[in-house]
Amino acid sequence: MLNRDIKLGNFVIGDNHAPFVIAEMSGNHNQSLERALEIVQAAAKSGAHALKLQTYTADTMTIKGALTIEDPDSLWKGRELYELYEEAYTPWEWHKPIFDLAKELGMVAFSTPFDETAVDFLEDLGVEAYKIASFENTDWPLLKKVAQTKKPVIMSTGAATIADIDDAVRILRSNGCTDLVLLKCTSTYPSTPKTTNLNTIPHLKQVFTCHVGLSDHTMGIGAAVASVALGARVVEKHFTLSRADGGVDSAFSMEPEEMKALVIESERAFQSLGIVQFNVQEAEKKSLRYKRSLYAVEEIKSGEVFTKQNIRAIRPGDGLATKFYDIIIGKKASKNIEKGTPLSWDNI
């Protein structure tokens, strides 16, 4: 049974629709509204269907002194968490001009709220949907607040057990969420293909009976395109003008030409899925002539025996099918046959 389609702006998320591609700005504006608006324009030009922000402040995320990142593999090793969020957050007064431009350029504009005040703020802006980040997928009060808006919810499933995901889905649905998309996500930055585990995607779809997708932190488009074959109908990638410009998320963000390639290739991947098909398609019928068939490759006199020297399987397919080769060898020609003649039963 198909899940019901989810309408967002001029786009549809559904089993029978091409993937919905989200460009995540995150902190790549580098604290410049002008740059943020340039990112919106670049995302639209690249063909992205949605532009997503993150709505928080350092104070709604953490408190000063709570944590210094010590992971030696982290892009943010040595950074104090509060200070990192001060640098990365999108000023709330920027949301409206960013959203307005995205909508003007034909994209869906929405955000990830990180606390209940962010939900209230985004409701005032009239967002069409909400994203739940992986690190918030166990924040039950936030899940309830978002679900109660009755807007579609797209939730990443990184850093969560299947029990965590089940709890989150139950809370969302019991509080009014009827349109849900779960995104397979690996919460490392960047992540690697080996830790992406795309085979989880159809399992998510089966277990939770909802649309599925991928929140992708790998480099390039390979994992995202592959996910479409496994049922992903939403693909989210961090987006920037240029990784060389720096910024908190730039190292694992996609540039405009890469985003353009992702939109094109993910749609091609979707189109290529088609149906289970073993017959000769209408589009292939003209090509049937280029299959091999049996031809006289030497002049053959009436009464002469057909041999491996005077008949062969060659292209085109205008003669007898090659499956009759062993039957015809040793038989006699019923008439004179010129070299290059396709064999028929009349010749035998």
Side-chain angles (χ1 to χ4, degrees):
M1 180 176 170
L2 295 177
N3 295 314
R4 76 175 192 176
D5 291 344
I6 300 172
K7 184 89 161 56
L8 290 179
N10 295 320
F11 304 100
V12 178
I13 297 170
D15 293 331
N16 295 317
H17 297 272
F20 182 70
V21 179
I22 302 168
E24 161 69 84
M25 184 185 298
S26 187
N28 287 323
H29 47 65
N30 296 350
Q31 289 303 308
S32 164
L33 176 56
E34 181 180 358
R35 178 180 172 85
L37 296 175
E38 288 177 2
I39 289 174
V40 175
Q41 292 171 327
K45 188 175 180 181
S46 299
H49 308 124
L51 187 286
K52 192 182 78 65
L53 300 179
Q54 295 182 355
T55 306
Y56 64 86
T57 67
D59 289 308
T60 64
M61 290 289 266
T62 188
I63 58 173
K64 287 183 179 181
L67 178 68
T68 297
I69 299 170
E70 297 178 352
D71 179 358
D73 297 323
S74 174
L75 293 172
W76 309 292
K77 182 181 181 296
R79 297 293 303 272
E80 208 279 320
L81 201 59
Y82 186 93
E83 293 177 357
L84 183 65
Y85 289 137
E86 279 189 315
E87 177 185 335
Y89 92 106
T90 302
W92 290 23
E93 64 270 20
W94 292 6
H95 281 54
K96 188 176 189 307
I98 290 171
F99 284 174
D100 287 349
L101 179 59
K103 292 174 185 176
E104 180 184 325
L105 295 174
M107 289 189 290
V108 175
F110 67 113
S111 187
T112 302
F114 287 83
D115 80 320
E116 295 184 37
T117 65
V119 178
D120 291 334
F121 173 73
L122 292 168
E123 278 296 285
D124 288 342
L125 292 179
V127 295
E128 294 186 58
Y130 286 94
K131 168 71 192 300
I132 300 294
S134 286
F135 295 150
E136 275 60 45
N137 62 28
T138 53
D139 184 348
W140 290 17
L142 178 62
L143 293 173
K144 290 177 182 178
K145 179 78 171 181
V146 168
Q148 286 164 0
T149 69
K150 304 193 185 310
K151 305 279 181 66
V153 176
I154 301 171
M155 187 178 79
S156 285
T157 59
T161 66
I162 194 165
D164 291 332
I165 299 167
D166 185 63
D167 284 341
V169 169
R170 179 171 48 80
I171 290 166
L172 288 168
R173 286 176 166 161
S174 64
N175 281 277
C177 173
T178 55
D179 293 319
L180 176 65
V181 181
L182 294 179
L183 304 185
K184 177 67 181 79
C185 179
T186 299
S187 296
T188 56
Y189 308 91
S191 54
T192 67
K194 286 185 177 180
T195 61
T196 300
N197 296 312
L198 294 181
N199 281 325
T200 311
I201 290 173
H203 189 71
L204 280 173
K205 183 181 180 69
Q206 180 183 18
V207 170
F208 297 106
T209 320
C210 63
H211 293 299
V212 290
L214 178 68
S215 178
D216 185 23
H217 303 134
T218 64
M219 304 305 292
I221 68 172
V225 172
S227 75
V228 177
L230 292 167
R233 293 298 177 265
V234 174
V235 175
E236 177 186 65
K237 292 279 273 189
H238 284 241
F239 182 72
T240 188
L241 297 175
S242 170
R243 284 187 289 274
D245 293 344
V248 292
D249 291 342
S250 61
F252 58 91
S253 293
M254 177 171 279
E255 295 180 347
E257 284 303 309
E258 294 169 315
M259 177 62 76
K260 182 178 180 181
L262 172 61
V263 173
I264 292 171
E265 296 302 332
S266 63
E267 182 167 358
R268 283 177 177 166
F270 167 76
Q271 291 172 341
S272 72
L273 295 176
I275 59 172
V276 176
Q277 176 264 320
F278 294 108
N279 61 314
V280 178
Q281 298 183 78
E282 188 64 35
E284 296 177 299
K285 285 184 177 177
K286 290 182 180 178
S287 296
L288 286 174
R289 197 169 182 219
Y290 299 99
K291 285 183 172 282
R292 288 176 181 261
S293 67
L294 298 179
Y295 269 72
V297 294
E298 293 180 359
E299 183 178 342
I300 303 171
K301 299 292 186 182
S302 178
E304 187 176 344
V305 173
F306 292 112
T307 69
K308 292 183 178 181
Q309 286 69 46
N310 61 22
I311 66 169
R312 276 173 48 203
I314 65 169
R315 295 181 183 184
D318 294 340
L320 289 173
T322 61
K323 66 184 178 181
F324 299 118
Y325 179 78
D326 288 337
I327 295 174
I328 294 171
I329 292 293
K331 297 284 194 300
K332 294 180 180 179
S334 64
K335 62 181 76 171
N336 291 335
I337 305 172
E338 293 183 7
K339 180 180 179 179
T341 300
L343 293 187
S344 68
W345 291 116
D346 292 340
N347 302 131
I348 300 162

